[in-house]
Amino acid sequence: MMYDMIIIGAGPGGMTAALYAARSNMKVLLLEQGAPGGQMNNTAEIENYPGYSQIMGPELSMKMYEPLENLGVENTYGIVQSVEDLGDMKRVFTEDAVYETKTIVIATGARYRKLGVVGEEEYGARGVSYCAVCDGAFFRDKEILVIGGGDSAVEEAMFLTRFGREVTIVHRRDELRAQKIIQERAFKDPKLHFIWDTVLEEISGDGRKVQSVKLRNLKTGEISEKEVQGVFIYVGLIPQSGCVSQLGITDAEGWIMTDAQMHTIIPGIFAIGDVRQKNLRQITTAVGDGATAASEAYKYITEL
Ligand code: FAD
Ligand code: NAP
């Protein structure tokens, strides 16, 4: 079967592209390697998506997904391995299937970056986490450390104060990167503490659970130890563009380059959302990208 559009990734960007394409009567396949929702599934409270003063990430995921079923969007599990461009027709390869399509929308987003410190791998899921909404409840009345100074670190640290006895943000500079409104709320939170100009050097434990960390002050060089049971790491994102790396559409860091209408340099292949080279990675911007790409893909098919 030949699809009009295959969308790789069912985050907010991919789901919006599917919504718009299906409403234009296009035959759409949404390929996703996990649950629909993307990074929203790892997000506690969302307070900047228009229409909701506050909504939990997994709930917004479901609300975006529900209408797609009624519109006949085919949603299939699959880890996309590669993509082949044959001009008017393109192929998408998963581990066990090959799909044919006229257009492709790459909506594979980004994933958390690891710090690469001693103990991070060893204590993964045993005290080290990258997802407050998934793991926060395991740290009731415990000492929690959050690494990073961006929106994710600060917002998720505030969420973790519901559980932890104390939550401390460790940031490598003396100024946060997070949006000002988020910073202001964080500074007012009595359960939230900050350690500035400091990096995490090592995570230690008894082999089963995290017990302490070693920190280094970048200005004084001083090394200190802190007893903690939970370490949440939010030090930025890396693009999930491996499945299209052979197409020559990414920059040196792996972000996909597009024009303002989401076209890559390959006709009929579009990229949207966090995987795209852009300044503002948000649900609202991913959703906007998705609508634009679907509309451009419709025009492309009409002209074929
Ligand atoms: P993603 O949400 O990353 O979805 C990409 C999807 O593609 C995933 O489901 C993934 O499984 C799938 N995929 C990847 N590769 C493949 C493959 N090879 N084959 C098949 N499927 C694949 N933004 C806000 O606006 N407000 C917030 O409050 C907010 N809070 C956040 C909190 C955290 C902790 C994080 C990490 C991010 C937050 N963001 C927030 C940012 C927001 O979540 C992202 O900007 C948004 O999810 C990007 O959407 P996307 O559709 O581009 O990609
Ligand atoms: P980010 O904005 O890239 O911030 C990463 C943070 O980690 C920065 O503070 C950075 O420090 C720090 N860092 C990076 N490498 C480090 C290292 N090796 N050691 C110690 N610290 C390190 O990433 P993010 O916070 O995950 O946000 C990603 C995107 O999602 C952003 O576009 C963000 O706006 C969006 N987002 C939005 C919301 C929201 O709108 N409410 C919520 C969450 C995320 P420096 O500051 O010194 O560089």
Side-chain angles (χ1 to χ4, degrees):
M1 172 187 319
M2 170 77 87
Y3 290 96
D4 290 320
M5 179 188 285
I6 290 182
I7 301 164
I8 311 173
M15 288 195 283
T16 308
L19 175 73
Y20 275 69
R23 285 171 61 88
S24 304
N25 264 342
M26 291 163 83
K27 178 111 192 88
V28 183
L29 173 66
L30 189 53
L31 281 172
E32 168 59 53
Q33 64 186 4
Q39 292 172 68
M40 294 192 299
N41 290 333
N42 300 335
T43 303
E45 283 151 1
I46 293 164
E47 296 184 346
N48 56 358
Y49 190 72
Y52 298 97
S53 53
Q54 191 181 69
I55 184 164
M56 297 298 281
E59 193 187 345
L60 186 55
S61 298
M62 285 320 298
K63 285 190 184 294
M64 285 191 190
Y65 182 65
E66 276 160 13
L68 303 184
E69 289 189 311
N70 301 332
L71 285 166
V73 171
E74 219 179 300
N75 177 28
T76 300
Y77 168 81
I79 305 174
V80 173
Q81 314 274 333
S82 63
V83 161
E84 188 180 18
D85 174 44
L86 299 167
D88 293 352
M89 192 264 275
K90 289 123 189 17
R91 288 205 182 101
V92 176
F93 298 82
T94 62
E95 325 88 307
D96 49 15
V98 183
Y99 301 94
E100 293 185 344
T101 179
K102 293 176 190 162
T103 66
I104 295 175
V105 175
I106 307 157
T108 43
R111 63 189 155 82
Y112 53 78
R113 182 184 298 165
K114 292 193 172 179
L115 256 184
V117 296
V118 174
E120 185 177 8
E121 290 291 334
E122 184 183 352
Y123 289 102
R126 290 188 287 168
V128 175
S129 173
Y130 305 85
C131 178
V133 71
C134 322
D135 300 331
F138 297 126
F139 298 93
R140 228 171 264 282
D141 295 325
K142 303 277 196 272
E143 198 69 34
I144 300 175
L145 214 64
V146 175
I147 314 298
D151 287 339
S152 295
V154 182
E155 280 206 324
E156 301 307 302
M158 282 192 281
F159 175 74
L160 287 167
T161 60
R162 293 173 181 203
F163 306 105
R165 181 172 63 234
E166 192 180 67
V167 179
T168 305
I169 292 182
V170 175
H171 183 36
R172 65 182 176 184
R173 293 186 291 132
D174 60 3
E175 195 186 350
L176 296 172
R177 176 181 294 276
Q179 298 164 53
K180 291 290 175 236
I181 187 166
I182 296 175
Q183 293 194 25
E184 279 165 21
R185 278 181 38 215
F187 291 139
K188 283 186 196 145
D189 191 329
K191 278 177 89 181
L192 202 53
H193 305 270
F194 294 86
I195 299 179
W196 303 107
D197 300 312
T198 297
V199 289
L200 176 65
E201 291 257 293
E202 192 177 325
I203 301 166
S204 311
D206 60 4
R208 289 182 306 118
K209 283 183 178 164
V210 169
Q211 290 178 322
S212 65
V213 291
K214 200 179 274 177
L215 302 171
R216 181 164 56 92
N217 185 299
L218 291 174
K219 285 201 169 147
T220 63
E222 188 193 338
I223 304 275
S224 60
E225 286 225 5
K226 187 169 170 58
E227 280 187 21
V228 299
Q229 287 79 47
V231 180
F232 285 78
I233 299 174
Y234 292 103
V235 292
L237 301 172
I238 43 179
Q240 300 207 87
S241 57
C243 64
V244 293
S245 58
Q246 83 287 7
L247 294 180
I249 56 176
T250 50
D251 67 12
E253 290 177 358
W255 304 105
I256 299 178
M257 298 172 291
T258 69
D259 65 12
Q261 309 308 322
M262 313 305 140
H263 296 259
T264 66
I265 47 168
I266 303 176
I269 299 189
F270 304 83
I272 61 171
D274 275 16
V275 74
R276 199 163 77 78
Q277 195 186 62
K278 69 201 277 197
N279 288 339
L280 188 59
R281 294 194 169 86
Q282 298 271 289
I283 300 164
T284 46
T285 58
V287 158
D289 288 359
T292 303
S295 154
E296 291 297 306
Y298 180 77
K299 275 193 232 159
Y300 169 86
I301 288 178
T302 312
E303 284 163 15
L304 267 186

